[in-house]
Amino acid sequence: MGRYLLRRVLQMIPVIIGTTLLIYALVFALPGDPVKAMFGEKPVNDAVAAQIRAEYNLDKPFIVQYLLFLKNALTLDFGNTFSGRPVIDVIGDAFPITIRLALMAFVFEGVFGVIFGIIAGLKKGKWYDSVILIVSLLLISVPTFVTGFVGQYLFGVKWQILPVTAGRNPGFIDLLLPACVLGSVSMAYIIRLTRTEVASNKTADYVRTARAKGMSNRKVTMRHILRNSLIPVVTYLGADLGSLMGGAMITERIFNIQGIGNTLWQGILRGEATLVVSIVTLLVFVFVVCNLVVDLLYAVLDPRIRYE
Amino acid sequence: MRLHSKVIGAALCVASIVAPLAACGGSRSQQMDGMIISYQASEPQNPLIPGDTNETGGGHVIDMLFAGLIGYDKDGNVVNEVAKSITPENGNKRYRVVLNDDWTFDDGTKVTAESFTRAWSYTANATNAQMNASFFASIKGYDALQKSGVASDAQLPGLTVVSETEFTIDLTEASATFPTMLGGEAFFPLPDSFYDDPAAFGSHPIGDGPYKFDSWTHNQNILVRRNDTYHGNFPARNDGINFVIYTDADTAYSDVQAGNLDLLDNIPSSSSVTFQYDPTVQAVNNPGSVLQTFTFPNDMDHFGDDEEGHLRRQAVSMAINRETLCKKILGGTATPATDFLSPVIPGYSDSLDGADVLTYDPDKAKELWAEADAINPWDNDTDVLKFSYNADNPSAKSIYDAVAHYVSNSLGIRAVTNPVSTFAEYRQEITDRKLKTAFRTGWQPDYPAADNYLVQLYDSAAADGNGANDGDYKSPEFDKLMDKAAAAPTIGEANEYYQQGEEILLNDLPAVPLFYQNAAIVSAQGVHNVETNWKNMPVLQDVTKDME
């Protein structure tokens, strides 16, 4: 177990170096000069532009820029944004908000997805199975921005029961609607996944054996059907938590939540390589850790899996 | 094993539920006591330093925090603020500025002649990399400050302090309209404390304007409160302005509908037609100062700066129905252009000689096109007229689709659009002179005067990358009129020369004026005194609202 963990952690190093290099190259390759864009449609003052380029190392060749970034990143100095704020502060402001939103969406999709999935799976073919199926199909097919704007209009503007936007330092109520919108698509997938697993495990040999031995219905369901059905669900949830942490650009913009997704979007628009790469580095890190946790959870759910 | 799974499961549950709840414990809202008007804004892209602010996110805040030598009333007229008098000498080549001696900064220090001269020198000095450096280009000694390696505290030789309340400004060339520039952000004074730590100042500015800085929560809001010691022309009638930062105009609009936001001047394109009839908000819609045009590069095939090109440019201009464009596509939020300025700028005219090239007349357009064909024929199989625009602009697509339609229908030629994905990429292609098509240009004035539109955009001195003359238009005749206007003794006389210059532009059409973008504002119910100014912004000091 310990050696396995160490190996996985060491694997993260090339992954992070590779992705940052790739993202840095992509931002660098974006057409347009960010310094010139700062002047808008007004004349560009070349002396000032040269000064700004020198300050952000934009006058150096690509690979030198990247190595300088990497060198500073090792000392946790991610540089400044074009507005003069340390990148680490920008992330420090945005990330806690995204974590809150992601965890709420995660709990929402996990709890409701599994519950509805189990109900539908155990009572396959009944009318509520059909209703759950149709609703989940609807949620999958409607894009998030539609759910977002419609939800915002109905709950926020028309009925005025939930806040329209999250605003500063959003709390539980502010993030309730965004979290539901954000989690709705994944919830629908989890419903379908759980339903299929439960339905197929229900007729598995070991379940029949357990029943034949006289085990109570409750115990069979809890210990044999559910536990075995949850392995693919946990895989999905783990990967999903990673992408939820990456911030939801669309949802965050609709509800004016100043999280990672929104910040990243602004950074790309302004061509701020340091900001974009720093955020992506963090996201890669989060994603890799989430995957590691999922892999470890397998061992808990399925005793046959052992890590040596 | 069973124990394990339970423990982990329980831990996960607890962690995920407690995290958001714990966060709720934090303060949800700031102290918003008194009549604080909330206004949609964007995160400033630079520190809040007047000389370093050249975009609206920071500009709106800076305008509320600082007072310059002069200010502008909502119609763009100049009124004295800190200045007692600004007198031209030596044929408009030198200005003598006398200050009122009773103005103070928020930190209690006096506003003196040095508060201005030091601030201006700092901004003009390229070593300090301030975005607004170019505003000082007309002051003597500016060029010397553009070399690399200049000391960061080097002063502009053209500025001479006479006493604590008097200084003179020497210009490189005569300019009648120079004093009208002085109310802009670049020319605001700075207190001595600025030079100790410019970065700290940028996150907590100290000004002398109608409001005082209170707090800035990045990406969330900027709060300013009324400054009771301010005694200029624009005192606040509310207790403060809360600039609430939005990244999406649709979201901000929803907040106005729900009554969570008081003012919004960036109407989302999805509501640009309906906002005037929306019963949940109040709407204001007046002609504004932003002029939208498209520019022909000087070396564009068939559309160059010669007789053929002039005829074709006129034909294209007359092929476009501006009335319908403004009404149908822009839902009445724009006004058809009749000159190269705008209706809220002194010097505007709707009856210039030759202004009929800006009216819709497809028959005349075809005639002009045929005349041009006689000089150098247009081959419909190989020649295409392209209109470029930046696709990240929310309304550009619908406008240029319509323009291309009008041109191809009226003239029977192939006209298509050429979208460029982002603004940064688009500007790069323009500054590198790579676009050999007609391209979208817009102009938002820095100060309310004709020269800001004409000299900056069409003078030969601003061509070839030295200014905003993106089409490299050069006309010695036009330049001469601009120089005459600059040396004119009064603004009224200057404007006569500027109008003669515009008449030359109407023949040559280096750019084709399309429309003036209206100043459109929506406000929540219960908000009063919403008026627009020449900057297409609400006059924030005057806004009030019902208090519950």
Side-chain angles (χ1 to χ4, degrees), chain A residues 31 33 38 41-42 45 47 51 83 85 100 107 164-165 168-169 172 174 253-254 256 258 262 266 300, chain B residues 23-24 27-28 30 45 54 126 142 217-221 245-247 251 255 425 428 442 444 446:
Chain A
D33 178 344
M38 281 184 198
E41 268 150 350
K42 307 288 176 184
N45 181 324
Q51 225 14 271
S83 64
R85 284 189 78 202
R100 254 179 255 173
V107 171
V164 178
T165 52
R168 47 183 291 143
N169 197 9
F172 181 76
D174 302 297
R253 282 192 71 194
I254 292 176
N256 204 32
Q258 303 297 342
N262 226 332
Q266 302 282 315
V300 178
Chain B
C24 294
S27 69
R28 157 139 171 75
Q30 240 164 340
Q45 290 175 27
N54 70 335
Y142 170 80
T217 313
H218 287 281
N219 288 315
Q220 308 276 352
N221 75 324
I245 292 161
Y246 289 89
T247 44
T251 307
D255 256 349
E425 185 184 358
Q428 173 95 37
Q444 172 152 36
D446 305 302

Side-chain angles (χ1 to χ4, degrees), chain B residues 494-530:
Chain B
N495 281 343
E496 276 174 37
Y497 289 117
Y498 285 130
Q499 293 192 343
Q500 289 175 27
E502 285 189 79
E503 285 166 1
I504 295 176
L505 297 184
L506 283 169
N507 181 67
D508 297 354
L509 289 178
V512 175
L514 280 178
F515 55 83
Y516 314 113
Q517 217 162 292
N518 282 7
I521 297 171
V522 292
S523 53
Q525 300 295 348
V527 175
H528 307 288
N529 301 323
V530 180

Side-chain angles (χ1 to χ4, degrees), chain A residues 130-145:
Chain A
S130 314
V131 170
I132 289 173
L133 262 186
I134 291 170
V135 170
S136 65
L137 202 64
L138 256 174
L139 287 176
I140 290 173
S141 53
V142 177
T144 318
F145 70 89

Side-chain angles (χ1 to χ4, degrees), chain A residues 4 7 19 21 23-24 37 57 73 80 82 104 135 151 171 223 245 247 251 268-270 276 292 297 303 306:
Chain A
Y4 173 79
R7 210 172 66 224
T19 40
L21 181 65
I23 298 293
Y24 214 101
N57 293 326
N80 289 348
F82 288 156
M104 281 177 68
V135 170
R223 222 176 272 172
M245 291 285 185
T251 313
I268 294 171
L269 278 189
R270 289 205 282 267
V276 175
L292 182 59
L297 269 182
R306 282 279 175 271

